[in-house]
């Protein structure tokens, strides 16, 4: 029987999927169904085969049926389906099988992530219809951070807001932080239980996490993925009075402020040019001052957060860079390390330019502590968790 797992990541108008072998870590087929709900809905895939097809006016259910048909056509099968779910709240501290009860508990959490969880639930329900009888598992972005101690997860608000409404810091990107930290321990040839790590996931969304003995002890994102670092279009930390200030002075509504902070801020807002780090580095080299400012603020805030996270660890063995920017941008890594001389992370310029490829990912000189580049693979974590749960290992 096939051990492959179909990993599904449902967005509001898209489904990313990957058929992965949890044992070898190989991706056999991956693809994207996008523009769902519009007349331009389409499916494309690559791997064992590559191609694309239009899906008409497909919604999530029809797109999943399209994926079922594709797998059948390619003679590929799977033993289970793993779903990426954004917010598990305090209810889910690890991955779990989809049952009527777990789905109801997830629904009860939806108010914590009104933009994401309903879409994830829709995807799970559609997958239950499209793949009847196949076991399904939910893997949460928040679950890894459920080990944070209360001094890290509580906001200094009236305590009843935590007790009654669940208002606290949850953290996200947990699957990615978990993957790269496990991988770092392997590469350093040391048990993860002994290590004090900081992982910086820098993509369109950015977060950094302190991981002690394999457990998350603090992270930069909070109740929502808006808190913390500067991101592609998200502001990260701001003065909490800013909402009222903008409402009063610019006459904006709360949802307009929310839109401004989530979609028009960060690298895009500061530069007025792009949310894409590659484009900003090119613009900076061509003399664009606003691009230079955006990168400077991004890097400064990242270094400041890394330094702050060391408080949760008491020491540091390795700093890990991952995500599109973390894996590919030597200048961002170099400039971040240059702001942290007191952590004794001395950049190895040559190794950094090669993204640590020939050096187990290590991009610093000396042995302890070190900085590393480790490409993330959230799908493989989801495939492994799903395999473990469906095969009862
Ligand atoms: P992700 O969300 O992980 O796909 O990451 C997207 C981000 O990675 C975007 O800001 C890209 O500009 C950035 N990125 C990808 N490749 C590079 C590169 N070679 N140099 C700088 N940034 C990059």
């Amino acid at each position: 029987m096939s051990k492959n797992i179909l990993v599904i990541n449902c967005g509001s108008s898209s489904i990313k999927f990957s058929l992965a072998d949890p044992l070898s870590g190989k991706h056999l087929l991956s693809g994207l169904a996008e523009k769902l709900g519009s007349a331009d809905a389409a499916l494309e895939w690559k791997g064992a085969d590559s191609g694309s097809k239009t899906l008409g006016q497909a919604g999530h259910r029809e797109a999943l049926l399209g994926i079922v048909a594709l797998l059948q056509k390619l003679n590929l099968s799977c033993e289970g389906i793993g779903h990426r779910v954004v917010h598990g709240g305090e209810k889910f501290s690890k991955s779990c099988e989809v049952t009527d009860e777990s789905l109801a508990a997830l629904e009860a959490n939806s108010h914590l992530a009104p933009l994401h969880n309903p879409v994830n639930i829709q995807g799970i329900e559609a997958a239950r219809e499209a793949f009847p009888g196949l076991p399904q598992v939910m893997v949460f972005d928040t679950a890894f951070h459920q080990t944070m101690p209360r001094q890290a997860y509580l906001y200094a608000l009236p305590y009843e807001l935590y007790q009654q409404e669940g208002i606290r810091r949850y953290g996200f990107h947990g699957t990615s932080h978990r993957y790269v930290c496990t991988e770092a321990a392997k590469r350093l040839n040391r048990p993860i239980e002994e290590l004090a790590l900081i992982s910086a996931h820098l993509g369109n969304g950015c977060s950094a996490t302190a991981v002690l003995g394999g457990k998350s002890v603090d992270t930069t994102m909070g109740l929502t993925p808006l808190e913390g670092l500067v991101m592609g279009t998200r502001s990260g930390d701001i003065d909490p009075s800013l909402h009222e200030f903008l409402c009063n002075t610019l006459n904006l509504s709360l949802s307009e402020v929310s839109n401004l902070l989530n979609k028009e801020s960060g690298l895009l807002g500061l530069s007025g040019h792009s949310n894409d780090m590659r484009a900003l580095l090119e613009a900076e080299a061509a003399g664009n001052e606003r691009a230079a400012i955006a990168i400077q603020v991004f890097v400064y805030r990242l270094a400041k957060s890394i330094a702050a996270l060391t408080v949760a660890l008491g020491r540091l063995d390795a700093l890990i860079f991952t995500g599109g920017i973390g894996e590919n941008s030597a200048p961002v890594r170099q400039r971040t390390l240059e702001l942290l001389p007191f952590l004794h992370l001395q950049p190895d310029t040559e190794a950094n330019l090669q993204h640590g490829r020939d050096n187990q990912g290590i991009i610093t000189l000396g042995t302890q502590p070190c900085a590393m580049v480790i490409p993330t693979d959230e799908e493989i974590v989801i495939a492994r968790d799903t395999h473990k749960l469906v095969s009862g290992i």
Side-chain angles (χ1 to χ4, degrees):
M1 158 110 179
S2 158
K3 293 269 176 284
N4 299 331
I5 300 293
L6 181 64
V7 177
I8 290 181
N9 184 351
C10 258
S12 55
S13 62
S14 69
I15 301 176
K16 259 168 79 177
F17 68 95
S18 166
L19 186 72
D21 177 343
L23 304 180
S24 69
K26 288 209 173 89
H27 296 270
L28 309 168
L29 188 76
S30 56
L32 176 70
E34 59 181 344
K35 300 187 180 147
L36 300 178
S38 82
D40 298 328
L43 175 66
E44 60 177 31
W45 62 92
K46 58 181 194 285
D49 181 55
S50 65
S52 62
K53 72 188 262 217
T54 54
L55 289 174
Q57 187 85 38
H60 288 78
R61 187 172 166 278
E62 292 76 20
L64 281 163
L65 287 171
I67 296 168
V68 175
L70 176 66
L71 294 181
Q72 279 168 350
K73 189 178 117 203
L74 299 176
N75 215 6
L76 293 167
S77 60
C78 55
E79 69 164 357
I81 301 184
H83 293 268
R84 176 189 177 216
V85 177
V86 170
H87 214 310
E90 287 192 330
K91 177 81 191 164
F92 298 101
S93 56
K94 52 186 194 270
S95 304
C96 78
E97 266 208 69
V98 174
T99 59
D100 291 342
E101 293 73 41
S102 63
L103 211 49
L106 181 63
E107 256 162 11
N109 255 340
S110 278
H111 66 289
L112 291 170
L115 296 181
H116 296 104
N117 273 24
V119 179
N120 295 152
I121 291 169
Q122 199 185 340
I124 293 170
E125 281 170 345
R128 282 177 119 187
E129 273 181 61
F131 297 86
L134 210 54
Q136 315 219 13
V137 165
M138 315 191 256
V139 180
F140 304 91
D141 266 22
T142 48
F144 182 57
H145 301 297
Q146 279 296 301
T147 47
M148 284 197 290
R150 65 186 173 201
Q151 70 268 24
Y153 71 69
L154 284 174
Y155 291 114
L157 294 169
Y159 195 66
E160 296 71 34
L161 286 177
Y162 164 58
Q163 288 174 307
Q164 288 157 23
E165 306 296 330
I167 295 175
R168 50 159 282 179
R169 308 182 63 250
Y170 288 96
F172 298 86
H173 290 144
T175 352
S176 175
H177 292 299
R178 176 151 70 105
Y179 176 81
V180 295
C181 287
T182 309
E183 195 58 30
K186 272 194 223 154
R187 293 186 188 196
L188 295 170
N189 202 16
R190 289 184 55 192
I192 196 163
E193 292 74 18
E194 282 180 7
L195 291 171
L197 305 169
I198 291 179
S199 112
H201 177 110
L202 311 174
N204 269 319
C206 300
S207 71
T209 296
V211 178
L212 190 59
K215 296 193 162 87
S216 168
V217 286
D218 202 353
T219 191
T220 55
M221 283 178 168
L223 174 71
T224 75
L226 183 57
E227 186 176 332
L229 304 176
V230 175
M231 313 183 207
T233 61
R234 283 176 245 164
S235 62
D237 291 340
I238 42 134
D239 185 325
S241 300
L242 187 64
H243 285 78
E244 187 185 9
F245 186 84
L246 288 173
C247 291
N248 288 343
T249 53
L250 298 183
N251 210 14
L252 298 183
S253 69
L254 265 185
S255 68
E256 284 169 333
V257 174
S258 218
N259 195 56
L260 180 142
L261 296 176
N262 278 288
K263 307 231 167 92
E264 298 167 7
S265 298
L267 293 172
L268 176 65
L270 279 168
S271 69
H273 180 68
S274 174
N275 64 336
D276 189 307
M277 183 57 87
R278 231 170 337 189
L280 291 177
L281 286 160
E282 282 165 18
E284 179 195 43
N288 182 324
E289 180 63 11
R290 291 264 303 273
I293 293 170
I295 301 167
Q296 197 177 26
V297 176
F298 179 94
V299 167
Y300 174 74
R301 289 265 299 273
L302 171 61
K304 193 163 109 167
S305 292
I306 291 168
L309 285 170
T310 60
V311 174
L313 298 173
R315 63 173 213 279
L316 181 66
D317 294 314
L319 166 65
I320 306 158
F321 290 96
T322 194
I325 301 173
E327 291 166 28
N328 299 302
S329 181
V332 168
R333 294 190 303 256
Q334 179 86 20
R335 293 179 205 183
T336 306
L337 294 176
E338 282 168 2
L339 290 177
L340 295 166
F342 47 88
L343 293 183
H344 310 291
L345 291 163
Q346 205 190 332
D348 176 338
T349 306
E350 197 50 43
N352 186 37
L353 282 172
Q354 292 173 356
H355 312 297
R357 253 192 314 267
D358 303 328
N359 204 20
Q360 297 282 81
I362 295 174
I363 54 164
T364 40
L365 299 164
T367 46
Q368 279 261 249
C370 67
M372 310 175 80
V373 179
I374 300 185
T376 195
D377 193 341
E378 293 164 88
E379 282 87 9
I380 255 346
V381 176
I382 296 175
R384 286 183 185 148
D385 277 13
T386 305
H387 172 63
K388 275 192 199 144
L389 279 164
V390 304
S391 60
I393 295 174

